[in-house]
Amino acid sequence: ADITTTGTAAPQDIPVLRGGSAVCRIVRPDPTTEGVINAAVAIRRGVESATGVLPEIKDDFLMPGESIDSDAYEILVGETNRPESSAVSVEFTNYAAFSISVVGNKVVVLASDDSGYAAAAEWLCDRFYLYADRTAGELTLPSDLSFSGSTNRMLNTLPLYATRGKIERLWDCGDDCSMYIIRNTDPTEFAAYAAPLAEAGYEKYAENRIGNNLYATYTSPGGKYVLNTVYTAYEKKTRLIIEPLSKTELPVTETADTS
């Protein structure tokens, strides 16, 4: 994804620690997803791990009469009510994608989904170690801090599932297998997902229908990963289950008898 910003002040170096004291806080939206909350907490703990100092963390809720402190140094995790969050324009097309950029005196962290926010937190925490001077009690992030991409290659091969519903959660199924559960979806959206998969280079290997439940298996470009998609009519949920082909086997498909 490409990061662009509009109508904002020039990026500044962002002091996170000065003289052993935290001068930058972490801000996340209210309400928000569990993944965004976890990412904000991970970033806070990352500062502590790199410097020994725990910065403030808060949500972006404003009481009546309260206004945004535009002069505060902040790390914005998710789509907050700060104008810097909305000033960043980034179009995500795949899962596990994220972007990090500096806008004015804010670090803006955005992602395509909760797995992307987890990856963003990990990437940013690595930068804390790079830029921290623990002896002097200093941590400053440079104004040109910028990254757009993913650290999870497998999940990032998946195009986003276009839906009016929401991702319920990402499950770690063990043995390098992951599963997205998408709720409040329908057969039309399930069928439509075949198109972006094809554009991403996925090939349909098999499909099936049992009652009103739908199933399809795809292989990724080069055959490295296997994606099983399942729609359950009773739950109105779609499951995207992806794992390395080396850890599983493709289902046996029926072939016509031409003898």
Side-chain angles (χ1 to χ4, degrees):
D2 294 325
I3 307 173
T4 58
T5 58
T6 56
T8 57
Q12 308 172 21
D13 288 347
I14 306 295
V16 180
L17 233 66
R18 279 179 178 163
S21 298
V23 294
C24 179
R25 62 193 176 198
I26 293 98
V27 180
R28 53 92 172 169
D30 178 43
T32 190
T33 66
E34 180 181 357
V36 171
I37 294 172
N38 291 342
V41 171
I43 290 169
R44 185 190 193 209
R45 292 296 183 186
V47 174
E48 181 187 34
S49 179
T51 66
V53 178
L54 194 64
E56 178 189 2
I57 187 171
K58 60 174 291 185
D59 59 51
D60 65 356
F61 177 77
L62 297 174
M63 295 292 291
E66 186 181 4
S67 60
I68 295 170
D69 183 358
S70 59
D71 295 326
Y73 293 107
E74 295 175 327
I75 299 174
L76 309 178
V77 185
E79 298 177 358
T80 72
N81 60 5
R82 296 337 192 222
E84 290 81 3
S85 290
S86 57
V88 176
S89 175
V90 55
E91 184 176 350
F92 298 110
T93 58
N94 291 62
Y95 287 108
F98 68 90
S99 74
I100 295 176
S101 55
V102 177
V103 181
N105 56 358
K106 319 288 185 188
V107 177
V108 180
V109 181
L110 296 171
S112 60
D113 62 299
D114 283 354
S115 62
Y117 279 108
E122 180 181 2
W123 187 91
L124 188 56
C125 288
D126 286 343
R127 307 284 89 67
F128 296 153
Y129 283 100
L130 180 64
Y131 297 114
D133 184 339
R134 192 161 183 148
T135 302
E138 301 283 334
L139 170 57
T140 300
L141 300 175
S143 61
D144 62 355
L145 184 75
S146 179
F147 184 83
S148 178
S150 176
T151 59
N152 189 317
R153 293 182 180 179
M154 182 174 74
L155 293 179
N156 195 234
T157 66
L158 290 177
L160 297 177
Y161 182 98
T163 180
R164 293 167 296 178
K166 293 185 178 295
I167 296 176
E168 185 172 284
R169 69 174 301 176
L170 171 66
W171 287 87
D172 181 353
C173 303
D175 205 21
D176 295 329
C177 177
S178 296
M179 175 174 65
Y180 283 106
I181 301 179
I182 302 163
R183 67 175 186 266
N184 298 327
T185 184
D186 56 41
T188 300
E189 291 180 345
F190 180 86
Y193 191 49
L197 283 171
E199 290 177 7
Y202 272 80
E203 295 184 3
K204 184 178 287 186
Y205 177 83
E207 61 182 341
N208 196 11
R209 181 184 188 114
I210 301 176
N212 291 322
N213 300 320
L214 306 174
Y215 308 84
T217 297
Y218 299 84
T219 56
S220 70
K224 187 173 183 179
Y225 305 116
V226 175
L227 171 67
N228 288 294
T229 62
V230 180
Y231 172 75
T232 51
Y234 175 76
E235 297 178 300
K236 296 182 179 179
K237 292 181 179 180
T238 288
R239 288 168 172 81
L240 309 178
I241 308 163
I242 186 169
E243 57 190 321
L245 178 57
S246 61
K247 299 293 183 71
T248 187
E249 292 184 3
L250 288 168
V252 176
T253 58
E254 293 183 2
T255 56
D257 185 357
T258 58
S259 60

